[in-house]
Amino acid sequence: MTMLKTETVTVNLGPQHPSTHGVFRMIVTLDGETIVDLEPVVGYLHRNHEKIGEKNNWIQNTPFTDRLDYISPMSNEFAYVLAVEKLAGIEPPERAKYIRIIMVELNRIINHMVAVGFLLNELGCFFTPMFYALRWREFLMDLYEMTAGSRMMPNYFWIGGVAADLPEGFLPECKELVAALPGFIDEYERLITDNEILQMRCRDVGILPPDVAVAYGCTGPLLRASGVPYDVRKAEPYSIYDRFDFDIVAGTVGDVLDRYLVRIAEMRQSVKIVEQALRDLPGGETATPKKKTFRPAEGDVYHRIEAPKGELGFYLVSDGSVNPYRYKIRSPSFVNLQALPYMCKGHKIADAVIILGSIDITLGEVDR
Amino acid sequence: MTAKETFDRLAEKFPQFELAYVEGKDPAILVQGDNLVELAQHLRDEQEYDYCSSITSVDYPDHFEVVYHLYSWKKEGGPVILKVHADREDPKVPSVVSIWRGADWQEREVWDLMGIHFDGHPNLTRVLMWEGFEGHPLRKDFPGTEDEYAFG
Amino acid sequence: MQSIQGILEFVDQIFVNLSLWFSSLLANYLPDWGVTFIMMFATVLVLVIFGLASIIWINVFERKLLGRLQDRYGPNRFGPWGLLQCVADMIKLLTKEDITPSRADRLVYNLAAVVPVVATFLVLAVLPFGRGMVAADLNVGFLYIVAVGSLGTIGIFMGGWASHNKFALLSGVRAVAQMISYEIPMVLSVVGVLLLVGSLSMVSIVEAQGDWRLPFVVLQPLAFVIYFTAAVAEVNRSPFDLPEGESEIVAGYHIEYTGIKFAMFLLAEYINAFSICAIATTVFLGGWQGPILPSWAWFFIKAYTLYFVLIWLRGTLPRLRVDQLMNFAWKTLVPLALANLMLTALLAKLVPAHSLVGAVAYLLVNIVVIVCIALVKYPGWKRGKREVVLVPRSTAPQARGS
């Protein structure tokens, strides 16, 4: 029997779409229900962040980096502040280092809760797992509000330390939360991970082989789920990560289910790190004294951290003035998104949405 | 292996490339544009630098510079940083997409925002700005750069 | 005792007596055919008003229950406990601008909003809401339900086609495929019950359960599960709501509808969901039978309990993909329904009717079938839990300093 000649249909999963994590467009060529080709179109949120960064001075850029990946703002600030400190040769005090680690690891938990919650939302659970995850995220956001004054754009890190010391009620509340979080993650897993429909929808969907993942430059949970145990915190330890005992979580197959499980397990590892940091938190001051103007020496530097979404890097070029000469952000979502067409080909249109959800992008970071 | 050792080994292997060593907090290897692809191929295949982390471009007063940060997920050590100069009038650099697939969108972004053309790139179109936009915003001579802000 | 019996009887038959009184009132002024005519209209009017009014509490019930499942309150602004939320929503929907896409097929587009609602109300006509409270006791009751219920599918496809929108069309196509596929197990599972009853009339199905003194869910548990699953898919409720909820995650066949036409689609969906609960109650749970409380109260308690299960499913389960959906219908539900039918037919010949022995026999056979299925599927369920690997150090252990 000869094959029927059918035509392909081009469908636009347009910029306004409830499930594309922001203004993101996918031009999908379909043959029936199967995806033949997928072209992502980005740039709808491009704000020319890098050029504005060149106009700001070094200190003003710290709150500006909050706007990149607005789900995990502390990580962006952390990466920038570490890069500038490397450029200028500044060493923050010990207490500040521990506080930064606590904030950044809590941020990782926050980000993974959003990622997992929204992935399950796109699977069709009608917001229920999302609300459960967001409820706990609210408790963590309360900690941020207590310390930094704001939930989403905290503006907490300074070049040379943190903006203010931890307030009075922070430590007991943080300890309480951190003790309760593993129980919550267990409950979450019990509720949804073994669900038959979830397993059917997520197994062997969007497989990314490890060599392809490395070739595309993917990092973060996307890379680790494919089986490559690469984590910048262990490969090139920065700040004081070498003092903590935690594991890298790696998947086996590299499909959507693995990415989901990797994120859940990474939340547990972050809890471990926060517990250790809270235990070892030293006293002391929280920032080196600030000068009126900040002019680092000339030169260029590239510093990268393990942000919750992948490897976030800042390439800074200084010419000795108060503004950066070049301020470049290597954003993980932008590079990870290149793997989307590869992962989606041959799957159904419903899978494209969950594969996108499992990559976990934030348009603020992709488009800058 | 430190950056100097990497450089020495590469200079030994490719004396015809005229590599230069750039000092600094992050020492780099200055490569001529024509030799870039072969050097990158060697780095990926023989020395297993299979992860191209970042491709950046900088607009210096007399030339453009494209900076490549290469890592290896198997080996320890920091990045191998390659720098390529391109002249201001007609900036052209060979594309490394054939070596690292992840260079695709990063080179498109460099083309879009800085205007450096990558020879051999399969689809060099604008990625962040819209199609049909004139100019390259990150250049220092882009109109509007000289506007003063109220602060800074 | 007698007086309590009398009171219960009175409350039970209150609506029947009301309609009898009304018709006798009319008989004073109108000839016979006039009375019949007016009574027909009155019945239809009562049904339609009941359908429309029940939306109010069904909608609020659903939203508050979903909210509670999701650790939040649900609507609680309008009216006490948010009871008037649906009224507010209806007013909002009715006052919205009515936009029609410029290239839409006008007639079909407008009709498509009406067809599912009509189909839904037609189904309500044969449901016995209580003892003696059925609008039309057709002797082909269940066949009529199957026939008329399929009209809703046409309406959905009309909506998808006439919207002149790729998403709507894709969703309409999927909806038709889904609804056609799930008709078959739905009908087959009820045929087993019909064999036990011997008649298609809904009222006689309920009365047969009285004769057996057991609801048919005890005699045909497998059929109940199959029916309920297939019916949930028929009315496009989660986890089978591909045509509407997913479809590239943007609303599906009612993308291009606004205002009152959109309200019509929503109406049809809610009343459809209620009517499959009502059918399940009638066929499997004993209809309006139950002690002490009036019959119509029992009917609604049972129907709303099943609706509660529907809402629970909606809030908990992810959605199936379209090919998994079709596989489930054709490869799982249809063979099971056929097996159930065969076994029921066999037992109906062997076992005496209306006897406890018979009931136990049916129950045992069903349990054996379910256990067999579980044993066959069990190795699959234990197929291998996916775990992640914890690696203590990456392959590049050398530190480079901070």
Side-chain angles (χ1 to χ4, degrees):
Chain A
M1 190 174 106
T2 54
M3 298 290 285
L4 293 170
K5 177 177 175 304
T6 51
E7 279 183 17
T8 54
V9 173
T10 308
V11 160
N12 201 16
L13 292 177
Q16 294 109 340
H17 198 280
S19 286
T20 54
H21 295 258
V23 272
F24 172 65
R25 181 174 164 212
M26 291 191 272
I27 305 176
V28 184
T29 313
L30 292 173
D31 177 18
E33 283 265 346
T34 316
I35 298 179
V36 167
D37 192 17
L38 189 147
E39 187 195 330
V41 176
V42 295
Y44 288 92
L45 197 54
H46 181 63
R47 299 159 286 179
N48 218 350
H49 182 108
E50 297 180 355
K51 196 160 184 89
I52 300 176
E54 289 173 17
K55 294 294 281 183
N56 289 340
N57 59 34
W58 294 95
I59 304 178
Q60 281 166 337
N61 267 328
T62 317
F64 194 44
T65 52
D66 277 344
R67 274 82 183 156
L68 277 174
D69 176 7
Y70 34 79
I71 311 277
S72 55
M74 293 275 194
S75 304
N76 307 347
E77 287 184 25
F78 192 40
Y80 175 72
V81 154
L82 281 177
V84 174
E85 286 175 359
K86 181 176 170 188
L87 187 59
I90 301 176
E91 183 80 10
E94 281 295 308
R95 186 175 170 87
K97 287 187 191 169
Y98 276 89
I99 294 178
R100 282 179 179 179
I101 299 282
I102 293 174
M103 289 295 159
V104 168
E105 289 302 319
L106 286 179
N107 210 336
R108 194 178 309 272
I109 301 174
I110 287 176
N111 178 296
H112 286 331
M113 279 185 184
V114 169
V116 160
F118 279 87
L119 171 66
L120 288 169
N121 195 28
E122 276 148 34
L123 275 168
C125 291
F126 199 72
F127 301 111
T128 309
M130 194 182 89
F131 272 113
Y132 279 51
L134 290 182
R135 181 185 74 194
W136 281 83
R137 178 174 171 257
E138 289 298 315
F139 295 141
L140 292 168
M141 293 294 222
D142 282 344
L143 285 177
Y144 275 12
E145 196 178 359
M146 191 193 287
T147 321
S150 159
R151 287 148 46 101
M152 200 163 161
M153 308 288 179
N155 187 11
Y156 185 54
F157 290 7
W158 276 0
I159 300 168
V162 289
D165 201 353
L166 300 172
E168 282 292 315
F170 183 88
L171 277 175
E173 195 167 318
C174 193
K175 285 193 172 122
E176 205 181 296
L177 260 181
V178 158
L181 264 174
F184 159 68
I185 300 175
D186 286 336
E187 177 195 46
Y188 204 77
E189 281 213 278
R190 249 199 332 267
L191 281 175
I192 195 76
T193 304
D194 286 332
N195 188 310
E196 177 78 16
I197 302 181
L198 181 95
Q199 299 274 331
M200 268 201 321
R201 285 294 301 271
C202 292
R203 254 176 211 266
D204 300 328
V205 168
I207 294 183
L208 189 63
D211 48 345
V212 175
V214 175
Y216 269 120
C218 299
T219 46
L222 185 63
L223 179 70
R224 288 195 283 278
S226 297
V228 180
Y230 188 70
D231 187 327
V232 181
R233 294 175 290 174
K234 294 271 193 185
E236 204 185 330
Y238 52 92
S239 189
I240 47 169
Y241 272 109
D242 42 359
R243 301 185 204 174
F244 296 111
D245 169 40
F246 63 100
D247 298 321
I248 304 177
V249 184
T252 39
V253 172
D255 54 4
V256 172
L257 185 64
D258 260 347
R259 287 171 218 143
Y260 163 79
L261 290 172
V262 161
R263 290 201 170 96
I264 300 264
E266 275 190 8
M267 279 202 261
R268 291 186 208 272
Q269 297 297 319
S270 291
V271 167
K272 256 169 82 170
I273 299 178
V274 174
E275 275 171 359
Q276 291 167 49
L278 284 173
R279 189 190 63 206
D280 299 335
L281 187 65
E285 51 191 27
T286 50
T288 55
K290 279 170 73 170
K291 294 198 270 296
K292 233 174 148 124
T293 55
F294 179 72
R295 289 174 201 269
E298 279 190 39
D300 60 341
V301 77
Y302 177 70
H303 190 90
R304 55 184 192 148
I305 69 158
E306 182 75 22
K309 295 187 157 63
E311 174 187 310
L312 175 64
F314 276 83
Y315 179 71
L316 301 170
V317 176
S318 161
D319 59 350
S321 71
V322 292
N323 309 85
Y325 189 79
R326 177 75 168 100
Y327 165 79
K328 144 95 185 184
I329 305 133
R330 187 261 185 219
S331 75
S333 305
F334 185 70
V335 181
N336 285 352
L337 206 48
Q338 294 176 85
L340 182 67
Y342 179 88
M343 286 195 277
C344 283
K345 285 204 174 96
H347 288 293
K348 304 272 183 296
I349 188 94
D351 297 327
V353 177
I354 57 169
I355 294 173
L356 181 65
S358 72
I359 301 180
D360 186 21
I361 60 169
T362 302
L363 263 301
E365 201 173 48
V366 170
D367 289 342
R368 279 156 282 150
Chain B
M1 206 159 60
T2 66
K4 191 78 175 77
E5 286 167 11
T6 317
F7 170 73
D8 287 334
R9 213 185 276 187
L10 282 174
E12 221 176 282
K13 191 151 161 70
F14 297 103
Q16 73 279 17
F17 281 175
E18 292 166 12
L19 303 171
Y21 185 71
V22 179
E23 292 279 348
K25 284 234 159 42
D26 279 346
I29 301 171
L30 186 60
V31 150
Q32 304 296 323
D34 308 322
N35 307 327
L36 175 65
V37 179
E38 211 181 310
L39 185 64
Q41 186 92 39
H42 165 84
L43 279 171
R44 188 194 72 168
D45 295 333
E46 261 95 280
Q47 305 214 20
E48 295 187 322
Y49 282 98
D50 51 359
Y51 166 38
C52 175
S53 167
S54 157
I55 300 179
T56 319
S57 60
V58 193
D59 183 1
Y60 287 113
D62 49 350
H63 63 267
F64 284 119
E65 187 170 276
V66 181
V67 185
Y68 299 80
H69 287 85
L70 310 169
Y71 288 87
S72 161
W73 78 268
K74 298 191 202 79
K75 298 162 44 147
E76 63 261 26
V80 166
I81 306 180
L82 301 177
K83 291 192 179 177
V84 178
H85 286 187
D87 50 88
R88 287 204 69 101
E89 276 71 48
D90 184 24
K92 277 193 190 323
V93 172
S95 164
V96 293
V97 173
S98 52
I99 303 172
W100 298 291
R101 277 161 100 166
D104 187 351
W105 279 25
Q106 309 207 50
E107 289 184 350
R108 277 176 73 186
E109 185 198 340
V110 169
W111 155 246
D112 186 2
L113 295 178
M114 199 66 97
I116 300 174
H117 188 88
F118 288 90
D119 302 322
H121 192 285
N123 179 28
L124 198 67
T125 50
R126 289 187 179 270
V127 59
L128 291 179
M129 305 303 291
W130 60 92
E131 292 290 329
F133 184 80
E134 301 276 336
H136 300 281
L138 265 184
R139 288 193 181 181
K140 297 285 183 188
D141 53 4
F142 188 73
T145 311
E146 63 280 355
D147 293 343
E148 284 296 319
Y149 285 178
F151 48 82
Chain C
M1 193 59 192
Q2 283 293 79
S3 59
I4 296 180
Q5 199 78 339
I7 292 176
L8 285 176
E9 190 66 32
F10 172 70
V11 175
D12 185 40
Q13 294 293 301
I14 192 166
F15 296 107
V16 177
N17 289 339
L18 208 60
S19 81
L20 282 174
W21 167 81
F22 186 63
S23 69
S24 63
L25 186 67
L26 289 174
N28 291 338
Y29 305 102
L30 292 171
D32 262 343
W33 57 265
V35 174
T36 329
F37 208 50
I38 301 282
M39 283 310 294
M40 265 179 5
F41 267 120
T43 318
V44 168
L45 199 65
V46 164
L47 262 183
V48 168
I49 291 177
F50 164 72
L52 292 174
S54 72
I55 288 295
I56 294 182
W57 54 80
I58 283 183
N59 195 7
V60 176
F61 177 42
E62 167 147 8
R63 287 163 73 163
K64 288 198 85 70
L65 189 65
L66 272 175
R68 290 288 171 167
L69 278 172
Q70 293 166 0
D71 197 24
R72 60 185 175 96
Y73 281 119
N76 60 355
R77 296 282 165 199
F78 287 103
W81 298 301
L83 285 172
L84 295 179
Q85 175 70 32
C86 190
V87 175
D89 276 338
M90 281 293 149
I91 296 175
K92 174 199 81 167
L93 279 171
L94 292 176
T95 54
K96 276 205 190 254
E97 182 188 350
D98 193 39
I99 305 174
T100 311
S102 57
R103 285 194 284 184
D105 193 342
R106 260 326 122 125
L107 180 65
V108 180
Y109 182 81
N110 290 329
L111 271 183
V114 177
V115 170
V117 182
V118 167
T120 304
F121 279 119
L122 285 174
V123 167
L124 284 182
V126 289
L127 293 176
F129 291 103
R131 189 175 307 125
M133 287 161 50
V134 57
D137 184 13
L138 298 176
N139 56 355
V140 287
F142 188 70
L143 188 61
Y144 167 82
I145 288 179
V146 171
V148 154
S150 316
L151 280 180
T153 319
I154 300 180
I156 290 178
F157 190 63
M158 282 163 69
W161 168 258
S163 298
H164 200 89
N165 182 330
K166 267 179 222 168
F167 290 138
L169 183 63
L170 267 171
S171 137
V173 165
R174 279 185 193 170
V176 170
Q178 175 179 325
M179 288 165 106
I180 291 178
S181 312
Y182 280 90
E183 286 275 346
I184 298 177
M186 193 171 94
V187 174
L188 282 178
S189 54
V190 177
V191 173
V193 167
L194 296 176
L195 280 178
L196 292 175
V197 173
S199 155
L200 281 169
S201 155
M202 300 298 273
V203 175
S204 55
I205 295 178
V206 177
E207 282 168 359
Q209 291 179 74
D211 291 335
W212 278 85
R213 282 183 299 280
L214 280 172
F216 280 137
V217 70
V218 173
L219 302 179
Q220 301 266 291
L222 190 61
F224 175 59
V225 171
I226 298 174
Y227 173 78
F228 201 61
T229 314
V232 167
E234 265 298 298
V235 296
N236 296 334
R237 291 277 303 196
S238 195
F240 303 106
D241 61 348
L242 269 92
E244 157 212 296
E246 197 181 25
S247 196
E248 297 80 56
I249 312 280
V250 201
Y253 57 86
H254 50 70
I255 287 180
E256 299 281 357
Y257 286 90
T258 58
I260 193 170
K261 295 201 267 265
F262 183 64
M264 293 281 115
F265 274 116
L266 247 52
L267 195 81
E269 183 190 328
Y270 282 123
I271 302 185
N272 245 339
F274 174 72
S275 60
I276 59 143
C277 294
I279 298 170
T281 312
T282 315
V283 174
F284 288 103
L285 293 183
W288 40 255
Q289 288 169 340
I292 304 170
L293 288 177
S295 57
W296 40 270
W298 271 118
F299 180 83
F300 282 109
I301 289 173
K302 293 177 191 173
Y304 282 127
T305 310
L306 284 181
Y307 196 76
F308 170 87
V309 175
L310 270 185
I311 299 172
W312 191 1
L313 285 176
R314 180 181 187 192
T316 323
L317 294 176
R319 219 176 264 129
L320 284 170
R321 206 173 58 205
V322 68
D323 57 329
Q324 293 164 349
L325 191 87
M326 305 300 274
N327 280 345
F328 183 59
W330 291 100
K331 293 188 193 168
T332 308
L333 286 185
V334 168
L336 274 179
L338 283 173
N340 176 57
L341 182 59
M342 202 175 67
L343 288 170
T344 309
L346 205 63
L347 282 176
K349 278 289 173 197
L350 295 175
V351 155
H354 305 307
S355 66
L356 196 58
V357 173
V360 171
Y362 279 108
L363 188 58
L364 276 178
V365 167
N366 268 300
I367 289 178
V368 164
V369 168
I370 293 174
V371 166
C372 286
I373 296 170
L375 283 176
V376 163
K377 286 278 197 182
Y378 186 69
W381 289 336
K382 277 275 178 190
R383 114 192 79 182
K385 202 173 133 83
R386 184 77 71 79
E387 296 279 343
V388 288
V389 176
L390 291 176
V391 178
R393 57 198 338 200
S394 92
T395 50
Q398 199 86 333
R400 208 175 103 108
S402 148

